Amino acid sequence: MIRELSLSNFRAFEEAHIELSRINLLFGPNNSGKSALISAVNVIAQTLEGGDYSVPLHLDGTRVDLGTYRDVVFRNDSNRPVEIGMLLDMGNRRTGNDTIDFNAGFHYMRVRKAIIVNSFEMRGSIEDMEFSAKASEGYPDCWIGGYIKGSGTKRQPFRIRATYRNFVPVPFPRKKDLKVKRKGYYELSPEFSVVHYAFQHIREAFQNLEYLGPFRVYPSRTFHFTGAIPSTVGTRGENAIRILADDYLKLGKRKGQIAEKVSNWMTRSGVAEQIRVVTISSRHFEVILKHSLTGEEENLADIGFGCGQVLPILVSGYAAEKGSIFMVEQPELHLHPRAQAELGSFFYDMYKNGIQSIIETHSEHLLLRLQYYVAKGLVKPSDVRIYYVYADGRSKKPRKRIKEIRIDETGRFIDKWPEGFFPETLEEARRVAKARSDRR
């Protein structure tokens, strides 16, 4: 789980820091900088899964396209360094507090027209051992220096040779890092093992990160049996139907587990009922849903745009494994208020399944449903983080700001919303009342 996110000179923010919990909601006006927070996580994830270790930062990849360094740096000033930092909670079952806190810095070399690793720092604790490490500037080879402190022991300094893979310096052992065991078997020293594991975990931490962008693909009327089973739904939900079909056509106890959960959610929301995968031929199939009021069976393409937009979100979330990170932008797109509220119940399901959610949204109904679960005592207030991102034009230096909106154990807001974001409904009601009064 990502516990903290820190940014420096990244897109809309000169400096930004937020703490994250189990359910995280990002609100704010359009063009306020909300997507910058999500894209920071995405650019780290797509860099580490990109495959080309020689590229320090993949700005244009499978998850997000951020353009060039000039596009991504604060106020398009290529002379500024960009820094992205995260605190990762590894959730060790035995100790319960294994963490890795890393900060990666980048700068732009005008002569080479290339992004270079400027700095890399890391600290944390693994298996009762605290550590701190700092990599020297250089590419691809560098040195890692720091200390390790075991339970009840003094700080032990170390210096390890490493090579950068993307922005992560991966150490490689020398003779002094190896301990000879019997029959010629070598074992890494405890110091090297802990540092090596920490660097490897940074890579592995983002393998179970699912992201869905603000616009999902419109569903087709028919689909092909390709024989391939995707591992993710894709950033636009392009693989959702194939994952759903594979689940529906399984045999035995595992058959239709995802499809059943999707059907139940759609029934509660009033969108549709009883989702089915119907084989048309040996090469084609279609997805059929039943109308919640008339009972008519309709093709997925005929149900409505909102259904097609929410389906990839449901499939992705219900297919996610415990310990995953689920990020989505505008899940409420083209959904009526009742369905938007049911999205709050969907994210409550993710919460119960041990999945961290990071949600960019404008939906008051989604938030109200989550407040209900807090008021019922089903969700801890500390497990919900609400942030309002906005442009502050009243200060001497106008800039994008982030304000946390806390809630108490009854689900009420402790902090006021800036700029009257959600009180807008009340303000509109007052305008209507005044208009009626003026006509009398």
Side-chain angles (χ1 to χ4, degrees):
M1 191 164 79
I2 303 173
R3 286 290 186 187
E4 296 179 21
L5 172 65
S6 301
L7 304 176
S8 177
N9 294 319
F10 184 80
R11 296 191 68 186
F13 300 101
E14 186 173 17
E15 297 289 339
H17 176 85
I18 60 173
E19 295 182 5
L20 300 173
S21 192
R22 301 275 298 281
I23 303 174
N24 307 277
L25 298 148
L26 306 175
F27 289 94
N30 296 330
N31 196 29
S32 62
K34 302 184 298 298
S35 61
L37 301 173
I38 288 180
S39 64
V41 180
N42 269 328
V43 75
I44 292 296
Q46 78 180 12
T47 297
L48 296 177
E49 67 188 15
D52 188 350
Y53 293 146
S54 66
V55 181
L57 198 63
H58 286 271
L59 296 181
D60 182 7
T62 57
R63 292 177 176 271
V64 64
D65 178 7
L66 299 181
T68 66
Y69 189 88
R70 187 176 182 275
D71 297 316
V72 83
V73 68
F74 180 69
R75 291 185 176 172
N76 306 118
D77 183 358
S78 299
N79 294 317
R80 292 174 179 259
V82 169
E83 293 185 8
I84 302 175
M86 296 185 204
L87 173 60
L88 305 177
D89 184 348
M90 297 186 293
N92 187 288
R93 292 182 179 179
R94 187 176 64 83
T95 62
N97 60 353
D98 283 5
T99 60
I100 296 177
D101 188 357
F102 75 89
N103 189 81
F106 310 90
H107 72 266
Y108 185 70
M109 290 187 68
R110 292 182 180 273
V111 176
R112 290 180 53 193
K113 301 292 190 292
I115 301 173
I116 302 297
V117 179
N118 186 46
S119 62
F120 186 89
E121 295 186 49
M122 177 184 71
R123 61 182 179 275
S125 61
I126 297 176
E127 296 290 342
D128 298 324
M129 298 188 74
E130 299 177 8
F131 62 89
S132 176
K134 184 176 182 179
S136 62
E137 183 178 358
Y139 206 87
D141 294 334
C142 63
W143 286 93
I144 305 168
Y147 77 87
I148 288 181
K149 179 180 180 297
S151 179
T153 63
K154 296 181 179 180
R155 288 161 51 115
Q156 301 177 20
F158 68 87
R159 195 164 186 260
I160 299 174
R161 189 71 176 173
T163 183
Y164 276 108
R165 291 190 173 185
N166 304 125
F167 62 87
V168 180
V170 178
F172 51 85
R174 295 172 294 170
K175 286 185 178 180
K176 70 175 187 177
D177 298 315
L178 301 173
K179 289 186 176 181
V180 182
K181 306 208 65 167
R182 59 180 181 171
K183 296 183 179 180
Y185 173 73
Y186 287 90
E187 184 181 67
L188 292 173
S189 64
E191 296 84 2
F192 186 93
S193 296
V194 170
V195 175
H196 188 272
Y197 175 75
F199 284 112
Q200 287 296 108
H201 184 79
I202 292 174
R203 290 189 169 278
E204 296 170 359
F206 297 94
Q207 291 180 355
N208 289 331
L209 189 150
E210 186 79 74
Y211 164 71
L212 275 162
F215 299 106
R216 278 71 71 181
V217 296
Y218 192 80
S220 302
R221 190 165 295 279
T222 60
F223 304 88
H224 289 93
F225 286 117
T226 63
I229 304 172
S231 58
T232 68
V233 301
T235 59
R236 299 178 64 236
E238 61 270 21
N239 300 324
I241 299 301
R242 287 190 173 88
I243 293 176
L244 182 68
D246 174 69
D247 169 78
Y248 188 86
L249 298 173
K250 283 178 180 176
L251 302 175
K253 295 181 179 179
R254 299 180 61 188
K255 175 181 172 62
Q257 293 182 353
I258 298 174
E260 182 180 0
K261 293 176 181 178
V262 171
S263 294
N264 290 340
W265 184 90
M266 288 192 169
T267 300
R268 295 195 306 269
S269 65
V271 173
E273 294 181 4
Q274 295 181 5
I275 188 166
R276 295 190 300 119
V277 175
V278 179
T279 300
I280 302 175
S281 70
S282 60
R283 298 178 60 193
H284 299 85
F285 68 92
E286 63 178 341
V287 177
I288 299 295
L289 296 95
K290 181 183 290 187
H291 195 285
S292 56
L293 295 178
T294 65
E296 297 173 283
E297 288 196 331
E298 300 172 300
N299 186 282
L300 175 61
D302 298 324
I303 291 294
F305 197 69
C307 181
Q309 290 293 289
V310 77
L311 186 60
I313 297 172
L314 302 175
V315 172
S316 178
Y318 288 130
E321 298 179 358
K322 183 178 181 180
S324 300
I325 302 170
F326 184 55
M327 298 197 307
V328 60
E329 296 186 65
Q330 299 183 38
E332 73 277 8
L333 196 66
H334 294 285
L335 292 179
H336 58 77
R338 177 181 169 186
Q340 291 184 33
E342 283 300 327
L343 279 174
S345 296
F346 166 76
F347 288 110
Y348 172 63
D349 289 339
M350 300 300 97
Y351 172 82
K352 291 189 296 182
N353 293 338
I355 298 167
Q356 182 183 28
S357 299
I358 302 174
I359 311 149
E360 185 272 313
T361 180
H362 296 278
S363 176
E364 182 178 3
H365 306 286
L366 189 160
L367 176 58
L368 286 170
R369 180 62 61 87
L370 289 173
Q371 288 177 266
Y372 163 79
Y373 286 118
V374 172
K376 289 282 289 184
L378 300 173
V379 176
K380 296 179 182 178
S382 59
D383 286 341
V384 179
R385 293 274 185 174
I386 304 168
Y387 289 101
Y388 183 78
V389 187
Y390 65 105
D392 184 6
R394 293 172 295 183
S395 61
K396 293 182 179 179
K397 293 183 178 180
R399 62 186 60 193
K400 304 292 177 64
R401 299 188 182 276
I402 305 173
K403 177 180 175 61
E404 182 178 4
I405 309 296
R406 296 168 298 166
I407 55 176
D408 60 21
E409 63 278 358
T410 66
R412 292 192 179 96
F413 297 124
I414 297 174
D415 306 289
K416 290 184 178 181
W417 288 83
E419 305 178 352
F421 187 69
F422 275 138
E424 193 68 30
T425 303
L426 179 59
E427 184 62 30
E428 289 297 326
R430 287 174 177 170
R431 289 192 183 119
V432 172
K434 186 177 185 304
R436 289 170 178 167
S437 177
D438 292 341
R439 292 187 62 181
R440 291 176 182 175

